[in-house]
Amino acid sequence: MTFSGWFKFMFRFWSEDLKAGPIKSLFHFRRIWEVAVLLIGGVTLIPLVTMALIDYNVTQQSVESEALMQTSRLVSNTRHTLSYFLEERKSALKFISYDNTFEELKDQKRIADLLENLKKGFGEVTALGVIDDSGMILTRSGSDMYSGISLRDKRCLEKIRATGAHVCQVFREDKETVRLGISVRHDLPDDSFYVIRTCLDASRFHEILASLDLRTGDDAFIISNEGVLQTPSRLHGNVLEKIALPIPEHSLETRVHEIMAKDEPLIVGYAYIPDSPFILMIVRPKAELMRSWYDTHMRLIGFLAGSIFIVILVILGVATYLVDMIYMADQKRAMVQHEAEYTNKMASIGRLAAGVAHEINNPLAIINEKAGLVKDLLTFKEEYKGDEKLLKLTESVISSVERCSCITKRMLSFARHINMSMQTVNLKNVISEVLEFLHKEAEHKSIIVSVDVSEDIPEFESDRGKLQQLFLNLTNNAFAAMGDGGHMDIAVARDGDEHVSVMIRDDGCGIPKEDQKRIFEPFFSTRKRTGGTGLGLSITYGLVQELGGNISVQSDLGEGTTFTVVLP
């Protein structure tokens, strides 16, 4: 079955226009179906989609919030680690200043011993020195004796004088070595001071950041407040290079915000390291953080789409089924109403036929009597005995009267059996009576009718009136399907011990395959333009069912149609 055929079968009410038929429908089925689908669909799908969107937004915001909080915690914890690292080194320098006199610290051997102890305690210490309040190096020990210990930038000395301690930005000692300087001030009784300064291997910063539990695509690094990288960055450059990202605004607290970099959303968490020029930054691609959510939301969308598809199918199925039930009930109502009208019409025709037959029979009897008298007079009077012409005319009148009498008898017989119930019938006689009514039409259209009734067909109990109506409908359909010079064959045979089969075949236009399953539906007709009501075969089907039989059709387009009725 093609899609259009399936659509028409499933939506039988869709293109049916009962208003053009003999009985108007009480409903506009297409509109009922559309309203039902839209109403049920709206009531069902709008809450479903609304809840899905709310859940989608809430879940997305929750995942984003969790990603921001996770980044904030990671930055905050790392900030504390770095702060503790720097404070620990500052405390060690302060302990040295309190544990040794100024004179002891000016001793080169003492400084060398202290440096050795610091190396054993911290490992990354590479140099140690003492500087007076003018910036002059008093003693020093270690690998970078000058570049790491000297305070070449007078601003560093001013910051030490003002704050008591100072952490400088990292500097490159050579191509591969990066150092970090930490200085601590110690005041003397004469209002002067000296500075204990140490140099550390800056790779320790990188080790701290490398130990963080980061996702694929995350990047953690330290920059100066001027935007210069203090540790290598996986994505944004190497040490002492200017970073391309904007420098975060100063804040005493850990902050997380979202920025766009090269059309890619990034979540940036940062924190200023107290008492240092450093800014800790952790940069995370938002897409990576939201990947689990993206996978979940794709499954959610798939589930929602599948749910909507199933709901729509159920709505369409239920609405179609219910409207189809209304449609079929309305069809049955219309069919019953039309059958009642048809039965009343047939009863009226029967009464009219009986009245006409009775009224015609009286003058026919008089005509027949007078014609017989005229014939007798012509026979016995010598002057007319030899007039053959008058005798033939008289016999013609008598034969015409006999023919009229036969017609009126058939009309009376048909009228008597319209409303009759079960009785003994002879199937051959019933078919002959029906064909007598179509005799003139067959002659007019040159249709050849052949009847073959098997000799072993017994008389049986049935409703004679329904049989007459049944065969009249089928033969009328066959005549309508054939053109001039057609052939109609009627064959009656036994079908087992309990049934008789009547086959009515014509060589007319035939019925299309897609219409053969619908020809017994009420008001379905392929001849509506030529006056067909679509009720003949429907009523025929009902008559066969009432008689306890069944009817089938076999047809080829352009070759003809065969109806087979099996009766008990």
Side-chain angles (χ1 to χ4, degrees), residues 149-196:
I149 297 302
S150 65
L151 295 175
R152 291 173 294 172
D153 190 346
K154 295 300 180 182
R155 290 179 300 178
C156 293
L157 189 60
E158 294 298 325
K159 288 181 180 179
I160 294 173
R161 182 179 285 115
T163 61
H166 177 64
V167 178
C168 70
Q169 299 181 25
V170 299
F171 58 90
R172 189 178 294 280
E173 181 178 348
D174 52 46
K175 264 186 176 183
E176 297 181 356
T177 307
V178 179
R179 304 295 189 202
L180 168 67
I182 299 177
S183 304
V184 174
R185 187 191 72 191
H186 186 81
D187 296 326
L188 296 173
D190 58 357
D191 293 333
S192 62
F193 65 87
Y194 64 90
V195 176
I196 299 178

Side-chain angles (χ1 to χ4, degrees), residues 110-121 125 128 141:
R110 181 61 179 166
I111 288 296
D113 291 341
L114 291 173
L115 174 62
E116 190 65 25
N117 291 334
L118 287 174
K119 286 182 179 181
K120 291 177 180 178
V125 179
L128 181 67
S141 179

Side-chain angles (χ1 to χ4, degrees), residues 48-49 52-53 299-309:
L48 176 64
V49 174
L53 290 176
R299 289 194 294 269
L300 176 63
I301 291 176
F303 177 77
L304 178 62
S307 300
I308 292 175
F309 178 74

Side-chain angles (χ1 to χ4, degrees), residues 190-484:
D190 58 357
D191 293 333
S192 62
F193 65 87
Y194 64 90
V195 176
I196 299 178
R197 181 175 174 83
T198 186
C199 279
L200 309 176
D201 188 350
S203 63
R204 180 64 177 148
F205 270 4
H206 181 58
E207 291 175 3
I208 293 174
L209 298 181
S211 66
L212 298 178
D213 184 17
L214 300 177
R215 296 169 179 263
T216 303
D218 292 352
D219 195 7
F221 51 87
I222 298 172
I223 63 171
S224 69
N225 47 23
E226 298 173 353
V228 178
L229 282 166
Q230 306 295 292
T231 60
S233 168
R234 189 173 63 85
L235 300 173
H236 300 92
N238 212 333
V239 179
L240 300 180
E241 292 181 1
K242 186 79 172 180
I243 193 171
L245 298 176
I247 300 174
E249 63 179 4
H250 186 271
S251 175
L252 297 178
E253 299 176 350
T254 300
R255 287 191 178 182
V256 180
H257 63 281
E258 184 177 334
I259 64 172
M260 292 295 296
K262 297 180 181 179
D263 298 328
E264 179 186 8
L266 299 176
I267 292 179
V268 178
Y270 70 93
Y272 278 74
I273 309 299
D275 301 325
S276 76
F278 303 139
I279 306 172
L280 169 65
M281 294 183 69
I282 296 180
V283 179
R284 318 182 84 175
K286 186 177 180 180
E288 288 295 328
L289 292 176
M290 300 294 290
R291 184 177 298 280
S292 60
W293 158 241
Y294 292 147
D295 295 339
T296 303
H297 106 276
M298 287 305 296
R299 289 194 294 269
L300 176 63
I301 291 176
F303 177 77
L304 178 62
S307 300
I308 292 175
F309 178 74
I310 293 173
V311 168
I312 290 175
L313 283 183
V314 172
I315 291 172
L316 289 176
V318 171
T320 302
Y321 176 77
L322 293 178
V323 175
D324 190 62
M325 290 297 100
I326 298 173
Y327 168 74
M328 294 305 296
D330 188 66
Q331 290 278 284
K332 291 178 180 178
R333 175 200 64 82
M335 183 177 66
V336 170
Q337 184 177 347
H338 187 76
E339 282 182 347
E341 291 183 1
Y342 186 82
T343 302
N344 290 334
K345 179 180 176 182
M346 293 298 292
S348 299
I349 291 174
R351 288 192 295 270
L352 178 62
V356 170
H358 281 297
E359 291 297 323
I360 291 176
N361 275 339
N362 292 329
L364 283 179
I366 296 172
I367 294 172
N368 187 54
E369 181 183 353
K370 301 304 180 184
L373 180 59
V374 171
K375 183 179 179 181
D376 291 340
L377 292 175
L378 291 176
T379 303
F380 292 108
K381 286 204 174 188
E382 294 295 333
E383 61 268 32
Y384 300 114
K385 188 182 292 186
D387 194 338
E388 296 291 335
K389 185 176 182 180
L390 290 176
L391 289 173
K392 287 182 179 179
L393 289 174
T394 305
E395 289 176 354
S396 177
V397 171
I398 294 173
S399 64
S400 296
V401 170
E402 290 177 352
R403 182 182 173 193
C404 288
S405 179
C406 289
I407 292 174
T408 57
K409 286 179 181 179
R410 283 199 300 269
M411 290 178 65
L412 285 170
S413 176
F414 186 77
R416 281 197 303 269
H417 294 304
I418 284 177
N419 295 317
M420 290 187 67
S421 57
M422 302 297 287
Q423 60 179 294
T424 302
V425 296
N426 185 300
L427 202 54
K428 184 175 182 179
N429 293 341
V430 174
I431 294 174
S432 298
E433 290 172 0
V434 171
L435 292 178
E436 284 295 333
F437 286 99
L438 301 171
H439 178 68
K440 285 298 180 182
E441 185 178 356
E443 286 184 355
H444 177 70
K445 299 179 68 173
S446 301
I447 294 175
I448 299 174
V449 179
S450 65
V451 180
D452 180 16
V453 181
S454 178
E455 295 295 334
D456 60 347
I457 302 298
E459 293 183 350
F460 57 92
E461 294 289 325
S462 188
D463 191 318
R464 188 183 190 89
K466 290 179 180 177
L467 287 175
Q468 287 176 335
Q469 189 177 347
L470 161 64
F471 294 129
L472 185 61
N473 287 345
L474 291 178
T475 51
N476 270 328
N477 268 357
F479 274 45
M482 291 186 292
D484 293 346

Side-chain angles (χ1 to χ4, degrees), residues 44-61:
T44 306
L45 294 179
I46 289 176
L48 176 64
V49 174
T50 301
M51 292 302 297
L53 290 176
I54 293 174
D55 181 72
Y56 177 90
N57 291 328
V58 170
T59 308
Q60 184 181 25
Q61 291 173 6

